[in-house]
Amino acid sequence: MTTKNLIALSVLLFSTRAAWADEVPDSLKVVDLEEVTVIAAPKENTKLREQPLSSTLLSQDDMRANQINSVKNLSGIVPNLFIPNYGSRLTTSIYIRGIGSRANTPSVGLYVDNVPFIEKSAFDFDYYDIERIDVLRGPQGTLYGRNTMGGLIKIHTKSPFNYQGTDVILGAATYGSYKASVTRYHRLSDKFAFSAGGFYDHADGFFKNRFNDKRVDKSNAGGGRIRAIYLPTPNLKIDAGVTYNYSDQGGYPYEYTGVVAGKDETLPDMIGQINYNRPSSYRRGLLNTGLTVEYQARHFILSSVTGYQNLNDRMFLDQDFSYKDIYTLCQKQRSNTLSEELVLKSKPGTNWQWVTGAFGFYQWLHTNAPVTFGEEGVKEMIEGNANKVFANLTGGNPNAPAMQMTVNNKQLNIPGTFDTPVMNGAIYHQSTYNNLFVRGLSFTVGLRLDYEKMKLRYNSSSDPMNFGFTVSMPAMGPRPPMNIPNSQPLYANASFEGRQSTDYLQLLPRFALQYEWKVGNNVYATVSKGYRSGGYNIQGFSDLIQQTLSNSSMDALAGDPSFASMGQMITSQKKPVTDVREATVYKPEYTWSYEAGTHLTLLKNRLWADLSAFYMDTRNQQITEFTESGLGRTTINAGKSRSYGAEASLRASVTNSLTLQASYGYTYATFTDYVAREKDGNGKLVDVSYNGKYVPFVPKHTMSIGGEYALAFRRSVVDRLVLQANYNAAGRIYWTEQNNVSQAFYGLLNWRLSAEIGKGSISLWARNTLNHDYTAFYFETMSKGFKQCGNPAQFGIELRCRF
């Protein structure tokens, strides 16, 4: 659909006149989202700004102004929150206050309509019918448990009781981007209402692969949501929803930056390019269902929240990211997760407010992750590494025999299947005592007991490696040089099959003291503990296979009659294979957080200010690194780190037409006890201390400045003209534990100009208006560096209408 067609269609959409239900009120007061949009909260009895915690609330208008279409667009808008773009929806790594991880378990939780999303591969979905987003910073473990040690993101969809009619959204933008969504909200009676809708989103992509001159990040996404709310009696509510999201996207736009140290002699013509030969992509189907039942008795409220999630995805990845045919990965996941939570809480209005509950989930996760070595990969990584070992046998003596292996396989497959079921159960209680000793003083204490059991069933092996071997004997006196080949076919293989199991308990307390001297004005201090669950590194089997394959080839050589005299010398080079448990298990990470802050409502509700300072002490910090072979990523426990900083958010209604807002976050996160094993200049593993180094992927500064100016017209075609602009910035961001690669502080300017006409609007918008060049993501593998550039400037048009 062309832009011309969209403009023509707008004439039809604006044929009747009415008011938007979410129109910004004509008032000097700052809008209180928790009063305008009433959201069901099974665990809370008070507004977020009345609780002793740091939070950011984003309305539909805020989401449009900041062009938030998915969770990754929150980066930089919320203080101290950063979400790097990995080039696909497979991984959504969220960093808050120095807490985060690139792989495996998330550090920030996600709830949609009070249903938890356990698998972070499901975090990145389209926000086409979202009513409000709440971001809670700091550990939320007492009420929300595992993987909320950095914070919690709560997403609320539009309620069919609050909205009526049919919403239509159409959009188009540069770089071949198009979107469309239609949602119907219908209230049949005072007891029943439902909504049903769907969306489609297409993008041609921003970045080209030089190998085939095609865009690597092309994407298509679609899906829909059905939600129904039934009120059979005044004190009973049943809320059910089903959502399906499908995504099919190319990947990954990783540009080669060169070798980590020294001069590149293998790919010198590829520096500064995206240039890989194997097509890479990510495809995902995501089904979510939720059922919330709430019963209000005379003195308490009982809620039951049941969730089910099915995730089925597939990733193709040219894992060397070069035009050479080295190796590829095809990973397929099938995940089913069932969760249940029962919550009993007091009714508001009494001095003693309490909540108690029980939570549990079970996740079935099956992963099929075969690695395939191409012809060049067999030569460089298998044959080449083996010959380096044999070269070491000579000790540099030119008169010693030279040994050379030749692998005959054109390609080598290493299949692997893994089942990693997880069971979690928890009980918790939290009490708040209001007006303690003096009016306005409250004290909160809570405790959660969290139990988790994880299992691993693995079956990983390699195709038989067929190889030849030659010993070249130098000339000795009258004897001429000669080559001695193997006398029989040589084969090597590797296989791992077995089970692992581990479990652990966590106690998650919380203490808070708060004083409120006036509604909307309070100070607080909080101490809380959060944790991120442990797990298994299934990609760690790549190193185990390589170690075993190397030893197996030496055994085959030693058994060949031609090399019987050299058998002992050959087998002496065998290295012990790492224990499976040691190579795969990583422990839970936990943190103690100390926070003090204030929420202020000033100038007759025209100015809101939220300020906080925090200190976090983290143990067993989980760090993602590539395996020694470069064949995968693993999570390790890095030791200890600490982070401290501050946050400030301001929102002001200057006039009836002008609203301004600003936020700033500062985080100083460093390792305090982390010693890693790295290769020195001679290729030997040595201990390297990173104490005092900055924690990677954590911006030191985040900042957002924005505003909205609205002009209302009478007796005009246009009812209102609204200009929204914001500047979001972050940096410096260190990408490695060595702190030798970083992204300096940078900012992006976005704007949106909307003309509201009757029941619709037409908007022009821009992202990264100044076309700022920055790095969105950087990593290293096989001693080579790769980065993903940030998206360039993009301009678009959007039409909205409600019938």
Side-chain angles (χ1 to χ4, degrees):
M1 181 179 291
T2 65
T3 302
K4 182 183 294 184
N5 290 336
L6 287 173
I7 296 175
L9 183 58
S10 68
V11 176
L12 174 62
L13 297 180
F14 301 152
S15 60
T16 59
R17 304 174 65 83
W20 280 96
D22 56 348
E23 181 178 316
V24 178
D26 184 15
S27 171
L28 283 178
K29 293 183 178 180
V30 176
V31 176
D32 187 344
L33 296 182
E34 294 182 276
E35 290 182 353
V36 174
T37 57
V38 179
I39 298 297
K43 301 177 185 178
E44 290 86 8
N45 270 328
T46 58
K47 301 176 184 179
L48 289 177
R49 290 191 80 246
E50 296 176 357
Q51 298 180 33
L53 54 82
S54 298
S55 61
T56 298
L57 280 65
L58 299 170
S59 67
Q60 298 174 62
D61 194 60
D62 294 326
M63 285 184 274
R64 286 198 292 270
N66 292 278
Q67 300 174 39
I68 298 173
N69 300 317
S70 72
V71 67
K72 291 178 179 176
N73 300 136
L74 295 173
S75 188
I77 297 171
V78 177
N80 284 326
L81 183 145
F82 178 66
I83 307 175
N85 188 351
Y86 285 80
S88 84
R89 300 190 178 196
L90 171 65
T91 299
T92 301
S93 296
I94 307 175
Y95 293 78
I96 294 182
R97 295 181 172 181
I99 302 296
S101 177
R102 287 172 51 192
N104 295 320
T105 54
S107 62
V108 177
L110 178 72
Y111 277 63
V112 179
D113 290 336
N114 302 310
V115 176
F117 278 34
I118 305 299
E119 178 59 51
K120 75 174 184 177
S121 293
F123 279 19
D124 191 1
F125 60 91
D126 294 83
Y127 286 3
Y128 72 96
D129 67 340
I130 304 302
E131 182 174 18
R132 200 179 88 199
I133 302 174
D134 305 335
V135 181
L136 284 60
R137 298 184 293 279
Q140 308 298 319
T142 303
L143 291 182
Y144 292 95
R146 69 197 293 273
N147 301 344
T148 60
M149 61 181 293
L152 178 68
I153 299 175
K154 299 173 69 176
I155 297 172
H156 310 281
T157 63
K158 293 180 180 179
S159 168
F161 268 100
N162 297 337
Y163 296 89
Q164 295 298 298
T166 302
D167 281 357
V168 179
I169 303 174
L170 300 173
T174 53
Y175 292 95
S177 297
Y178 303 94
K179 69 175 183 179
S181 68
V182 179
T183 307
R184 173 66 179 174
Y185 305 91
H186 194 68
R187 183 172 180 171
L188 293 177
S189 68
D190 291 340
K191 293 187 175 183
F192 184 77
F194 74 93
S195 62
F199 78 96
Y200 174 73
D201 200 338
H202 168 83
D204 285 345
F206 297 96
F207 306 100
K208 280 190 176 182
N209 181 358
R210 184 177 176 181
F211 184 84
N212 56 16
D213 200 37
K214 294 182 179 179
R215 296 199 183 273
V216 298
D217 53 335
K218 182 177 180 179
S219 66
N220 288 284
R225 188 192 315 274
I226 298 174
R227 184 181 179 186
I229 301 177
Y230 179 47
L231 308 174
T233 65
N235 60 348
L236 181 62
K237 176 182 177 181
I238 301 173
D239 188 345
V242 179
T243 305
Y244 182 76
N245 273 261
Y246 178 80
S247 176
D248 188 357
Q249 59 183 154
Y252 293 71
Y254 297 154
E255 176 183 304
Y256 180 47
T257 63
V259 294
V260 175
K263 183 180 179 181
D264 187 353
E265 298 179 353
T266 58
L267 300 169
D269 57 338
M270 196 177 125
I271 295 177
Q273 300 175 6
I274 302 169
N275 193 345
Y276 52 83
N277 63 307
R278 293 286 186 177
S280 298
S281 62
Y282 179 65
R283 186 184 68 192
R284 183 194 67 190
L286 177 64
L287 173 69
N288 289 283
T289 64
L291 174 64
T292 300
V293 180
E294 180 185 281
Y295 174 74
Q296 296 201 26
R298 183 175 180 182
H299 299 293
F300 63 86
I301 301 174
L302 175 64
S303 299
S304 168
V305 182
T306 306
Y308 169 73
Q309 183 175 91
N310 173 270
L311 183 147
N312 196 331
D313 70 1
R314 182 204 67 193
M315 175 186 68
F316 288 129
L317 185 63
D318 185 342
Q319 202 153 336
D320 57 275
F321 306 109
S322 73
Y323 54 73
K324 290 188 173 183
D325 196 16
I326 297 181
Y327 71 110
T328 59
L329 171 67
C330 175
Q331 176 180 286
K332 298 179 181 179
Q333 295 183 121
R334 294 196 310 273
S335 171
N336 291 278
T337 305
L338 182 65
S339 65
E340 174 62 35
E341 185 161 20
L342 295 174
V343 184
L344 191 67
K345 73 175 182 180
S346 61
K347 284 198 167 183
T350 61
N351 283 338
W352 178 33
Q353 294 291 297
W354 53 268
V355 58
T356 189
F359 172 79
F361 81 85
Y362 192 88
Q363 181 184 67
W364 301 263
L365 176 60
H366 176 79
T367 305
N368 186 9
V371 174
T372 301
F373 285 90
E375 186 171 359
E376 291 172 287
V378 170
K379 295 297 180 184
E380 292 184 16
M381 298 191 67
I382 298 178
E383 183 180 293
N385 289 337
N387 285 326
K388 289 179 182 178
V389 174
F390 294 123
N392 292 334
L393 292 175
T394 65
N397 183 359
N399 296 320
M403 292 173 279
Q404 184 75 27
M405 171 190 279
T406 302
V407 179
N408 298 320
N409 302 67
K410 294 298 181 181
Q411 71 175 32
L412 190 66
N413 298 310
I414 303 179
T417 58
F418 309 93
D419 290 291
T420 50
V422 178
M423 181 184 71
N424 177 276
I427 55 174
Y428 58 89
H429 177 85
Q430 180 172 289
S431 285
T432 298
Y433 299 90
N434 296 311
N435 300 317
L436 187 67
F437 306 125
V438 296
R439 185 173 180 83
L441 182 65
S442 64
F443 178 68
T444 299
V445 59
L447 182 65
R448 184 186 188 100
L449 177 64
D450 212 278
Y451 172 77
E452 185 148 325
K453 185 176 184 63
M454 308 173 299
K455 293 182 180 181
L456 169 64
R457 293 187 290 270
Y458 56 90
N459 186 353
S460 182
S461 61
S462 71
D463 288 348
M465 184 178 71
N466 173 240
F467 67 100
F469 198 77
T470 301
V471 176
S472 299
M473 304 295 294
M476 299 290 291
R479 189 191 70 187
M482 61 179 178
N483 295 326
I484 304 175
N486 52 288
S487 59
Q488 62 185 24
L490 298 176
Y491 294 93
N493 53 40
S495 178
F496 289 89
E497 184 175 1
R499 296 169 178 257
Q500 294 285 333
S501 178
T502 187
D503 61 353
Y504 47 81
L505 277 171
Q506 291 284 335
L507 283 174
L508 305 172
R510 182 174 188 257
F511 308 93
L513 189 66
Q514 179 173 267
Y515 176 66
E516 182 180 69
W517 64 91
K518 185 180 178 181
V519 176
N521 294 270
N522 56 64
V523 293
Y524 66 88
T526 302
V527 179
S528 57
K529 180 185 177 183
Y531 92 101
R532 175 167 36 175
S533 59
Y536 294 102
N537 290 305
I538 61 174
Q539 294 188 13
F541 281 91
S542 58
D543 271 4
L544 298 178
I545 290 291
Q546 188 179 61
Q547 294 169 10
T548 305
L549 202 59
S550 175
N551 289 345
S552 177
S553 64
M554 292 182 188
D555 288 336
L557 284 174
D560 189 287
S562 299
F563 313 118
S565 61
M566 304 174 62
Q568 185 175 358
M569 181 179 67
I570 293 172
T571 56
S572 68
Q573 294 300 304
K574 291 173 60 177
K575 296 180 180 180
V577 177
T578 306
D579 178 72
V580 170
R581 188 173 184 84
E582 180 183 344
T584 57
V585 175
Y586 59 92
K587 297 180 291 186
E589 170 188 344
Y590 65 91
T591 187
W592 279 98
S593 173
Y594 308 87
E595 179 180 335
T598 182
H599 304 296
L600 301 173
T601 303
L602 307 170
L603 302 178
K604 298 181 180 180
N605 209 30
R606 291 169 59 181
L607 174 64
W608 283 13
D610 298 307
L611 309 172
S612 63
F614 64 89
Y615 177 89
M616 302 183 76
D617 185 17
T618 304
R619 308 295 179 93
N620 290 334
Q621 179 141 7
Q622 295 174 10
I623 294 293
T624 301
E625 64 177 16
F626 275 85
T627 60
E628 184 180 346
S629 64
L631 300 181
R633 297 180 304 174
T634 60
T635 297
I636 64 169
N637 294 103
K640 304 175 183 178
S641 72
R642 67 179 179 185
S643 62
Y644 59 85
E647 297 160 349
S649 297
L650 301 173
R651 184 185 291 255
S653 289
V654 181
T655 69
N656 286 347
S657 300
L658 179 62
T659 301
L660 299 177
Q661 56 189 19
S663 65
Y664 171 75
Y666 172 79
T667 298
Y668 189 88
T670 56
F671 294 111
T672 58
D673 184 9
Y674 177 23
V675 177
R677 299 277 288 172
E678 288 192 356
K679 289 184 179 180
D680 61 11
N682 298 319
K684 295 182 179 180
L685 289 174
V686 296
D687 290 338
V688 178
S689 174
Y690 290 136
N691 294 350
K693 298 286 188 181
Y694 291 102
V695 176
F697 291 84
V698 177
K700 200 170 186 179
H701 307 274
T702 57
M703 183 179 70
S704 178
I705 301 175
E708 176 183 297
Y709 186 74
L711 285 177
F713 301 95
R714 294 183 178 180
R715 299 178 181 177
S716 173
V717 176
V718 176
D719 295 331
R720 251 182 20 135
L721 196 63
V722 181
L723 175 62
Q724 298 163 319
N726 58 79
Y727 179 79
N728 302 321
R732 176 174 298 266
I733 306 168
Y734 291 94
W735 301 114
T736 64
E737 285 82 5
Q738 299 92 329
N739 290 178
N740 56 351
V741 183
S742 64
Q743 168 61 55
F745 185 83
Y746 70 96
L748 305 179
L749 176 63
N750 308 315
W751 59 263
R752 184 185 186 94
L753 179 63
S754 302
E756 297 179 0
I757 310 170
K759 61 171 20 178
S761 70
I762 180 169
S763 304
L764 302 176
W765 56 263
R767 299 190 189 107
N768 190 10
T769 308
L770 303 180
N771 200 30
H772 188 82
D773 184 18
Y774 65 99
T775 298
F777 172 54
Y778 173 88
F779 67 97
E780 295 174 352
T781 177
M782 295 184 294
S783 299
K784 296 179 174 62
F786 296 87
K787 73 174 183 179
Q788 180 175 336
C789 294
N791 292 344
Q794 188 178 27
F795 302 88
I797 183 173
E798 182 182 80
L799 306 175
R800 289 174 175 260
C801 182
R802 174 168 296 161
F803 292 105

